[in-house]
């Protein structure tokens, strides 16, 4: 008597059948494959539209070269300010000067002071008196007498510009003015010039004033000195 044998199924055939069943969904559509992430996918990341870009730090700018004047003596500061040149480009023009508007500070960039400097400014009346009339041999001669109007300290720099309230007083009939910017001890009347050139203009002209601390000096003549 023979027993019926169950049919023998090869393992490869069984695996193929299982794969066929698992590859089918309930609706008969093939199941979507899940992609395997790769490290290269990170390189393709794009920020969302409108997101701000990372802020970049500004490049530091090199500071302008300046001169430390805080610890200078009167002699050192006087020498430094006398040699300080202007940005005007004219030969030997100074960075700190006196003109009709007063003290002006316009030094070149590379040697300007790092901080403001204190400068004294004195104004004087110059009274004229004719002592000799002009003739065919010589011109008229005058005597000068000085009177101090006032002296005060003013701060100049480190920015460019005119120092407020430093303009010389206006000249009048037979009376001019001399203004002196200086450092150190106050000036004596004997240090002021007694050889002024009289001109028919009130435009200031530079004059020489004796003194180690003198930085700049100007003279404003009376408008009509011949009538004095």
């Amino acid at each position: 008597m023979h027993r019926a044998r169950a049919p023998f199924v090869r393992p490869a055939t069984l695996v193929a059948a299982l794969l066929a069943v698992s590859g089918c969904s309930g609706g008969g559509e093939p199941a979507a494959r899940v992609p395997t992430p790769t490290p290269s996918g990170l390189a393709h990341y794009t920020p969302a539209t409108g997101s701000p870009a990372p802020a970049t730090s500004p490049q530091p700018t090199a500071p302008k070269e300046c001169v430390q004047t805080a610890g200078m003596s009167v002699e050192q500061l006087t020498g430094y300010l006398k040699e300080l040149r202007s940005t005007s480009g004219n030969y030997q023009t100074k960075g700190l000067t006196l003109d009709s508007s007063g003290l002006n500070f316009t030094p070149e960039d590379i040697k300007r002071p790092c901080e403001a400097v204190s400068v004294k400014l004195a104004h004087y009346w110059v009274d004229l008196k004719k002592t000799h009339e002009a003739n065919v041999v010589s011109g008229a001669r005058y005597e000068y007498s000085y009177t101090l109007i006032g002296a005060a300290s003013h701060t100049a720099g480190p920015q460019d510009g005119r120092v407020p309230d430093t303009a010389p007083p206006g000249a009048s009939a037979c009376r001019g003015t001399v203004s002196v910017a200086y450092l150190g001890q106050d000036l004596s009347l004997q240090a002021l010039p007694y050889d002024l050139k009289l001109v028919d203009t009130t435009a200031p002209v530079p004059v020489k004033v004796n003194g180690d601390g003198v930085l700049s000096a100007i003279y404003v003549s009376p408008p009509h000195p011949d009538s004095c």
Side-chain angles (χ1 to χ4, degrees):
M1 183 176 182
H2 298 282
R3 294 182 178 179
R5 294 183 178 180
F8 176 74
V9 180
R10 295 179 179 273
T13 305
L14 179 60
V15 171
L18 290 175
L19 290 175
V21 173
S22 64
C24 298
S25 62
E29 295 293 332
R33 289 188 177 182
V34 179
T36 303
T38 60
S40 62
L42 298 176
H44 301 290
Y45 171 75
T46 303
T49 304
S51 61
T56 57
S57 300
Q59 295 294 327
T61 56
K64 292 181 179 179
E65 180 185 353
C66 61
V67 177
Q68 295 287 345
T69 60
M72 288 186 178
S73 65
V74 173
E75 292 76 14
Q76 290 172 329
L77 186 58
T78 301
Y80 163 71
L81 291 176
K82 283 184 176 180
E83 295 298 324
L84 187 62
R85 295 294 175 242
S86 169
T87 56
S88 67
N90 295 331
Y91 178 66
Q92 288 191 340
T93 53
K94 295 183 178 181
L96 180 64
T97 56
L98 269 175
D99 57 25
S100 59
S101 61
L103 279 170
N104 281 274
F105 189 74
T106 55
E108 57 186 358
D109 285 341
I110 60 172
K111 291 184 180 179
R112 68 173 52 241
C114 299
E115 54 278 318
V117 294
S118 180
V119 178
K120 293 181 179 180
L121 178 63
H123 298 294
Y124 302 87
W125 291 122
V126 186
D127 290 303
L128 306 181
K129 182 180 179 181
K130 186 181 292 186
T131 59
H132 187 275
E133 293 289 344
N135 53 45
V136 294
V137 178
S138 62
R141 290 194 293 269
Y142 297 84
E143 287 182 351
Y144 308 94
S145 61
Y146 287 97
T147 304
L148 177 65
I149 301 172
S153 294
H154 298 274
T155 300
Q159 290 81 21
D160 292 358
R162 182 178 66 86
V163 180
D165 304 322
T166 57
S172 60
C174 298
R175 170 173 275 189
T177 61
V178 165
S179 301
V180 187
Y182 64 101
L183 299 174
Q185 299 295 322
D186 288 338
L187 303 170
S188 66
L189 296 182
Q190 288 72 27
L192 302 176
Y194 288 86
D195 56 348
L196 298 172
K197 296 183 182 301
L198 301 180
V199 292
D200 289 329
T201 177
T202 56
V205 294
V207 292
K208 179 177 176 56
V209 173
N210 296 322
D212 294 335
V214 175
L215 301 173
S216 182
I218 57 172
Y219 165 62
V220 178
S221 174
H224 304 291
D226 287 342
S227 62
C228 297

